[in-house]
């Protein structure tokens, strides 16, 4: 019997989170409060416990499109500056209390202007929540601005990301239904960001396969892949003696392109059959640059520590594996090299060393 990391110990480990949606991580009690305060009357339940259950069950359909419908209610209560600041502040608190030391949290500013906020007011309200929360709870949070792939505002949002790059916005992303909305629809935005030396990730290879990943990397120039689980389709004999990588999978691995994997979310949307059958197993064995993430803590009823605990259970991972995922994530973050190095050497490595030492003592 090995010293399997327990959930409690995993919570103490200094962790890094690259893929977490602001509108997918609200506390149920906050949703109820904000609905009352802002006059949003569309909630499927009034009481926080029932809301928690409703989100988890409604997100469990096996379809990304149905999963995305649940965001109507979180986005619905995030339409004032006060609400956005509160949600960001609480997000920083919740992540810090789970032991996350660095996070990149994303949201789509264009979805928060229904009551008249400008895009700039939305961005500033969220930045304030993270700045205050970061200071109060001792966590560094960068934001990614997302453009919705079925809309046509990606250039505007990309410009917004560049304008706020020195104020806490560290990158750009596109999200929403993947099938029917290829990343090349937003090529002008990605080319603009490249010319501005800005960073971006693209949700790709979740609800659509290899062509989506290929476009994201080879046409759009994505720095990272949101999910990217379907890269497994380009690997034969993945659980056998002689796994063979196709050209795209080899490119992703050779170039060390980070994969932002979100195990529970992938099971809910049908991108993976179960945690045990999740491509993260073979991809980690093959040394792809895998990172572990939450996607939407509310919809999946999860935390980063719980995602790690599920992987420990399914794949028998030990502290060395958890540290490897964490260092991968820190190396792949969109903040500067100096800051990443400082967190790796000053926080992550000493934190894991202490936990490893204790587990052998
Ligand atoms: O896993 C996802 N795939 C695609 N889109 C997603 C996923 N999780 C959340 N979103 C969407 C819904 C949110 O309203 C939006 C911005 O955070 O991003
Ligand atoms: Zn996502």
């Amino acid at each position: 019997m090995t010293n399997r990391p327990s959930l409690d110990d995993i919570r103490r480990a200094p962790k890094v989170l690259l893929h977490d949606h602001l509108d997918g991580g609200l506390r149920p009690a906050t949703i109820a409060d904000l609905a009352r305060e802002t006059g949003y009357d569309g909630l499927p339940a009034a009481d926080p416990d029932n809301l928690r259950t409703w989100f988890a069950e409604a997100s469990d359909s096996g379809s990304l499109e149905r999963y995305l419908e649940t965001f109507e209610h979180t986005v619905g209560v995030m339409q004032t500056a006060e609400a956005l600041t509160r949600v960001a502040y609480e997000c920083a608190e919740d992540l810090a209390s789970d032991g996350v030391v660095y996070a990149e949290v994303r949201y789509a500013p264009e979805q928060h202007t229904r009551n008249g906020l400008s895009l700039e007011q939305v961005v500033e309200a969220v930045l304030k929540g993270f700045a205050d929360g970061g200071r109060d709870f001792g966590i560094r949070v960068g934001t990614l601005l997302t453009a919705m792939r079925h809309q046509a505002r990606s250039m505007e949002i990309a410009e917004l990301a560049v304008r706020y790059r020195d104020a806490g916005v560290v990158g750009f992303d596109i999200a929403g239904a993947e099938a029917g909305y290829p990343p090349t629809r937003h090529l002008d935005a990605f080319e603009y960001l490249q010319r501005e030396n800005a960073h971006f990730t693209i949700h790709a290879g979740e609800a659509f396969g290899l062509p989506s990943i290929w476009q994201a990397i080879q046409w759009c120039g994505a720095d990272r892949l949101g999910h990217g689980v379907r890269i497994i389709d380009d690997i034969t004999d993945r659980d056998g003696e002689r796994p063979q990588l196709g050209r795209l999978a080899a490119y992703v691995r050779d170039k060390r392109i980070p994969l932002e994997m979100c195990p529970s979310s992938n099971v809910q949307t049908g991108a993976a059959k179960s945690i045990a059958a999740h491509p993260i197993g073979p991809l980690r064995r093959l040394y792809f640059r895998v990172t572990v993430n939450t996607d939407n803590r509310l919809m999946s009823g999860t935390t980063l520590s719980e995602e790690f605990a599920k992987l420990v259970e399914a794949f028998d991972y030990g502290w060395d594996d958890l540290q490897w995922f964490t260092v991968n994530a820190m190396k792949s973050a969109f903040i500067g090299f100096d800051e990443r190095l400082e967190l790796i050497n000053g926080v992550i490595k000493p934190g894991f060393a202490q936990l490893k030492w204790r587990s052998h003592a």
Side-chain angles (χ1 to χ4, degrees), residues 21 23 64 68 71 107-108 111 148 175-176 203 206 227 295-296:
H21 292 256
D23 52 331
L64 177 61
L68 293 175
F71 287 80
Y107 67 101
Q111 300 194 118
M148 299 308 290
H203 276 80
E206 178 189 23
H227 302 288
D295 208 15
N296 299 292

Side-chain angles (χ1 to χ4, degrees), residues 29-342:
T30 300
I31 301 177
D33 276 359
L34 292 177
R36 250 190 324 271
E37 286 169 18
T38 63
Y40 177 80
D41 61 3
L43 286 190
D47 150 88
D49 282 339
N50 293 339
L51 274 173
R52 187 188 304 283
T53 312
W54 183 87
F55 275 102
E57 286 175 356
S59 309
D60 235 356
S61 63
S63 136
L64 177 61
E65 283 75 9
R66 297 242 288 286
Y67 177 91
L68 293 175
E69 285 170 13
T70 62
F71 287 80
E72 180 52 30
H73 302 296
T74 53
V75 168
V77 300
M78 294 167 73
Q79 298 296 333
T80 64
E82 296 71 29
L84 288 164
T85 302
R86 172 172 172 183
V87 170
Y89 184 83
E90 292 180 354
C91 173
E93 182 174 17
D94 292 348
L95 295 182
S97 79
D98 188 41
V100 175
V101 293
Y102 174 78
E104 289 177 4
V105 179
R106 64 189 75 194
Y107 67 101
E110 68 197 66
Q111 300 194 118
H112 303 278
T113 57
R114 287 180 199 165
N115 289 0
L117 289 179
S118 66
L119 291 174
E120 287 77 8
Q121 285 171 321
V122 171
V123 171
E124 286 168 25
V126 172
L127 286 173
K128 177 170 168 34
F130 282 130
D132 293 350
R135 205 177 37 245
D136 290 355
F137 306 113
I139 175 175
R140 168 94 158 81
V141 185
T143 59
L144 305 183
L145 301 189
T146 293
M148 299 308 290
R149 56 203 311 157
H150 61 282
Q151 301 288 2
R153 300 188 70 176
S154 47
M155 189 66 186
E156 217 180 328
I157 304 302
E159 285 170 352
L160 198 64
V162 169
R163 206 171 326 139
Y164 283 90
R165 62 172 21 165
D166 295 324
V169 173
V170 298
F172 174 84
D173 162 53
I174 58 169
E178 187 177 4
Y181 299 100
T184 43
R185 265 189 104 227
H186 305 280
L187 197 53
D188 56 341
F190 297 123
E191 288 179 344
Y192 162 75
L193 290 165
Q194 284 177 287
R195 286 197 298 276
E196 291 293 336
N197 303 304
H199 305 291
F200 55 95
T201 175
I202 296 182
H203 276 80
E206 178 189 23
F208 202 71
L210 296 174
S212 186
I213 295 179
W214 175 71
Q215 279 198 8
I217 294 168
Q218 308 301 12
W219 283 83
C220 305
D223 296 295
R224 307 193 306 232
L225 291 171
H227 302 288
V229 267
R230 300 281 291 270
I231 196 66
I232 201 73
D233 298 349
D234 201 32
I235 305 174
T236 52
D237 194 27
R238 47 191 171 253
D239 296 313
E241 300 268 291
R242 293 177 146 269
Q244 292 284 324
L245 276 59
R247 288 203 192 280
L248 182 60
Y251 187 92
V252 168
R253 186 171 73 161
D254 291 344
K255 290 286 230 183
R256 317 304 301 139
I257 294 175
L259 304 174
E260 304 162 359
M261 314 218 94
C262 310
S264 294
S265 165
N266 293 155
V267 173
Q268 286 181 298
T269 63
K273 283 207 171 60
S274 64
I275 301 281
H278 195 285
I280 203 165
L283 293 171
R284 189 265 171 275
R285 270 200 311 276
L286 290 166
Y287 289 98
F288 280 75
R289 189 179 271 188
V290 176
T291 70
V292 177
N293 302 275
T294 45
D295 208 15
N296 299 292
R297 287 170 288 116
L298 170 68
M299 285 72 184
S300 298
T302 196
T303 59
L304 185 54
S305 295
E306 286 173 272
E307 291 301 290
F308 273 132
K310 286 179 189 176
L311 296 176
V312 165
E313 170 80 29
F315 300 108
D316 206 21
Y317 288 148
W319 284 116
D320 286 342
D321 300 284
L322 303 192
Q323 177 170 335
W324 183 78
F325 288 125
T326 304
V327 171
N328 275 351
M330 200 63 250
K331 284 181 178 170
S332 311
F334 286 160
I335 51 171
F337 175 73
D338 288 354
E339 238 183 314
R340 283 183 270 151
L341 203 60
E342 207 173 290

